Amino acid sequence: MGADKRLSRSSSETGNEATRLAAQPLSPPMASSYPFPHCGGAAASRRPLQPSGKLHRRLPFALVASPAPSLHGRRGGATIIGGMARRTTSLSALADGSAISGEEEEDEAEGAPEDEELLESFVSPDRWDVLGLGQAMVDFSGMVDDEFLRRLGIEKGTRKVVNHEERGRVLQAMDGCSYKAAAGGSLSNTLVALSRLGRQSIDGPDLNVAMAGSVGSDPLGEFYRAKLRRANVNFLSPPVKDGTTGTVIVLTTPDAQRTMLAYQGTSSTLVYDSSLASLISKTNVLVVEGYLFELPDTARTIVKACELARANGVLVAVTASDVSCIHRCYNHFWEIIKGYADIVFANSAEARALCELAPPSPVAAATRYLSHFVPLVSVTDGPQGSYMGLKGEAIYIPPTPCTAVDTTGAGDAYAAGVLYGVLRGASDLKGMGMLASRVASVVVAQQGTRLRVADARRLAASFADSYECSGIYSDLGSDHSAF
């Protein structure tokens, strides 16, 4: 971002003020006297970011108390997506959609019906617990060394949007490596984990989870739809005629750092129509993936979707997705955060970017600031732990000890834990954060981004044993009006 788009205060002033905020007692200051510097700087295109009265709404976290019809007629349909496999055809050929089936291990055995049976058994519920709007991307992921990245001129630990030729060059270089093909994307990781937690718990009915997005009318699109369906996440958008399904190459080095190369295809397009409007109107929680803001037309669709959600009493959650995405789409993010969002998911770097703070500004300060615009803020900080922001408070969540194998999908898993707690009516905010931390630690300790079914069963059981499902945030007070 250019200097004209940064805070008008000097970096030392900003850092001192953020440090002072972090040292303050965890009590919500009055919005009118909140001392955090206003974001937006001197850029005329930026809107001044000041706490508004929007957050004075009660989050209806007990909204899923009544059971919804089962989607599948039986439990136990969740399966692991993808798996490590040896090359039987070139990865570049796979990216074009040829011979995609058989390039992965069999799905995790848990009585999952075949795809045809899944399609025949599908019955749309009266109401969706969660509907995600996001990029539908097929992941090709594998382990590489630092030399591999240097040889291809790829900066480690970054996310880069690539064109068709760049994607082909990297996939060719990966030929001969072990890889995993999966129905990927940040949001789908969250939805699969949430669905598995919601089908393994003993404290409530199965959660009905769905996704809308864009896949092409190509073999990769068919692969994506079928694999999500087998994981009990229903992909509800029809394929785009002559569209190209997006892909993400995820390269993980031995230090568990991941580098992502995204080929978007048509995956960032989303059209607002009567079908999407109907889905949103019968949803409890709408989750918007921040990557969608990268295309102006799709950003406008998101605004319409959030307007409809608000009119129908639907909770709106937004994922920050990526620092570079925030820099490119800053105004779009804040339009949703200020006007519609009930929950924001971010990591420490993304939270700082939203507040235009540079490291080492305290993560707690960014969490506090965001919580003056959004009723619930979730900020992860890697091995340092995480924070839950509520009404000007930043509640620290200690990390769950684990040996990191692959950090890909850690934040996605954490978001699933938070959403699960919200939908199950958790009565303790810190306890909900601890559950989310445990979900993330399980995913970090394995190769791959998906929460395994057995782990989901164990985590859901621990949640049921530890917390009463009695509605959340009884301390919101009478000054918060209900939807």
Side-chain angles (χ1 to χ4, degrees):
M1 299 168 58
D4 62 327
K5 292 186 178 182
R6 296 196 180 278
L7 291 174
S8 56
R9 299 188 179 199
S10 69
S11 59
S12 60
E13 289 175 334
T14 300
N16 290 337
E17 193 151 17
T19 301
R20 180 164 59 83
L21 271 176
Q24 290 177 349
L26 295 182
S27 58
M30 296 297 292
S32 59
S33 61
Y34 191 60
F36 201 95
H38 297 318
C39 297
S45 63
R46 294 286 176 87
R47 300 176 181 177
L49 304 181
Q50 300 177 0
S52 67
K54 180 186 71 66
L55 87 99
H56 294 287
R57 302 190 301 261
R58 178 179 297 278
L59 290 175
F61 285 117
L63 66 146
V64 292
S66 58
S70 172
L71 292 183
H72 309 296
R74 57 170 168 171
R75 298 179 65 91
T79 60
I80 284 289
I81 303 295
M84 296 305 295
R86 280 290 174 186
R87 172 178 62 92
T88 59
T89 189
S90 70
L91 277 171
S92 53
L94 280 178
D96 291 331
S98 59
I100 190 70
S101 59
E103 296 306 317
E104 56 199 321
E105 289 182 352
E106 292 183 7
D107 290 331
E108 183 176 355
E110 185 161 319
E114 295 299 323
D115 291 342
E116 293 80 3
E117 184 180 342
L118 280 167
L119 292 172
E120 291 175 359
S121 66
F122 173 72
V123 177
S124 178
D126 292 334
R127 194 165 184 85
W128 295 101
D129 293 304
V130 173
L131 172 66
L133 304 182
Q135 288 185 327
M137 313 280 275
V138 174
D139 285 352
F140 293 102
S141 58
M143 300 292 296
V144 300
D145 56 21
D146 289 347
E147 175 58 28
F148 180 93
L149 299 179
R150 283 193 294 268
R151 189 169 67 250
L152 293 177
I154 301 171
E155 183 180 353
K156 182 177 174 180
T158 60
R159 176 186 179 270
K160 178 183 178 183
V161 177
V162 299
N163 58 33
H164 188 274
E165 291 73 22
E166 291 174 303
R167 179 184 70 164
R169 180 171 62 91
V170 176
L171 290 177
Q172 277 190 333
M174 289 179 66
D175 275 346
C177 299
S178 293
Y179 69 89
K180 182 176 73 170
S186 174
L187 180 60
S188 71
N189 292 335
T190 295
L191 298 179
V192 168
L194 177 62
S195 176
R196 286 177 174 166
L197 288 167
R199 292 182 66 82
Q200 303 302 324
S201 62
I202 59 175
D203 57 345
D206 291 354
L207 295 180
N208 295 322
V209 181
M211 179 174 172
S214 175
V215 295
S217 55
D218 53 10
L220 280 180
E222 295 174 6
F223 172 84
Y224 189 94
R225 184 186 304 275
K227 289 303 176 184
L228 274 194
R229 188 72 186 87
R230 288 181 66 82
N232 298 302
V233 175
N234 296 276
F235 192 81
L236 303 177
S237 299
V240 177
K241 185 178 180 181
D242 299 325
T244 303
T245 302
T247 57
V248 176
I249 304 170
V250 183
L251 305 174
T252 303
T253 45
D255 59 359
Q257 288 294 308
R258 82 267 193 258
T259 303
M260 295 186 289
L261 306 172
Y263 172 71
Q264 294 184 334
T266 57
S267 295
S268 289
T269 62
L270 186 65
V271 178
Y272 186 85
D273 55 18
S274 59
S275 296
L276 180 60
S278 176
L279 292 173
I280 294 171
S281 66
K282 59 175 186 178
T283 295
N284 292 329
V285 181
L286 178 70
V287 184
V288 177
E289 186 177 37
Y291 288 126
L292 290 178
F293 294 130
E294 293 184 311
L295 288 183
D297 289 343
T298 303
R300 286 190 284 270
T301 292
I302 296 303
V303 172
K304 293 179 181 178
C306 290
E307 288 175 345
L308 180 63
R310 176 64 59 238
N312 284 273
V314 178
L315 287 180
V316 175
V318 60
T319 69
S321 295
D322 182 74
V323 169
S324 63
C325 182
I326 293 171
H327 288 170
R328 291 189 297 269
C329 312
Y330 186 91
N331 288 338
H332 289 314
F333 272 102
W334 273 104
E335 182 177 12
I336 298 302
I337 289 172
K338 290 185 68 178
Y340 307 100
D342 298 290
I343 307 172
V344 166
F345 295 109
N347 63 28
S348 57
E350 293 157 358
R352 289 189 184 103
L354 286 169
C355 299
E356 293 192 305
L357 288 175
S361 302
V363 179
T367 306
R368 283 193 184 99
Y369 181 63
L370 289 171
S371 73
H372 279 274
F373 301 93
V374 184
L376 179 61
V377 178
S378 168
V379 180
T380 58
D381 195 22
Q384 284 70 47
S386 55
Y387 291 88
M388 302 290 283
L390 173 70
K391 295 171 62 179
E393 296 189 25
I395 301 171
Y396 176 67
I397 310 296
T400 300
C402 71
T403 300
V405 174
D406 183 359
T407 59
T408 309
D412 307 333
Y414 193 99
V418 171
L419 289 171
Y420 180 76
V422 166
L423 288 164
R424 289 305 192 211
S427 58
D428 174 42
L429 182 60
K430 186 162 187 176
M432 186 168 69
M434 290 299 297
L435 168 69
S437 177
R438 289 197 297 272
V439 176
S441 71
V442 167
V443 172
V444 166
Q446 67 183 31
Q447 176 65 38
T449 61
R450 297 297 200 222
L451 178 67
R452 296 189 176 103
V453 173
D455 292 328
R457 182 182 300 115
R458 174 174 54 83
L459 289 163
S462 72
F463 179 87
D465 290 342
S466 300
Y467 310 110
E468 293 182 16
C469 296
S470 60
I472 198 166
Y473 306 153
S474 59
D475 66 329
L476 280 179
S478 59
D479 61 327
H480 293 257
S481 59
F483 281 119

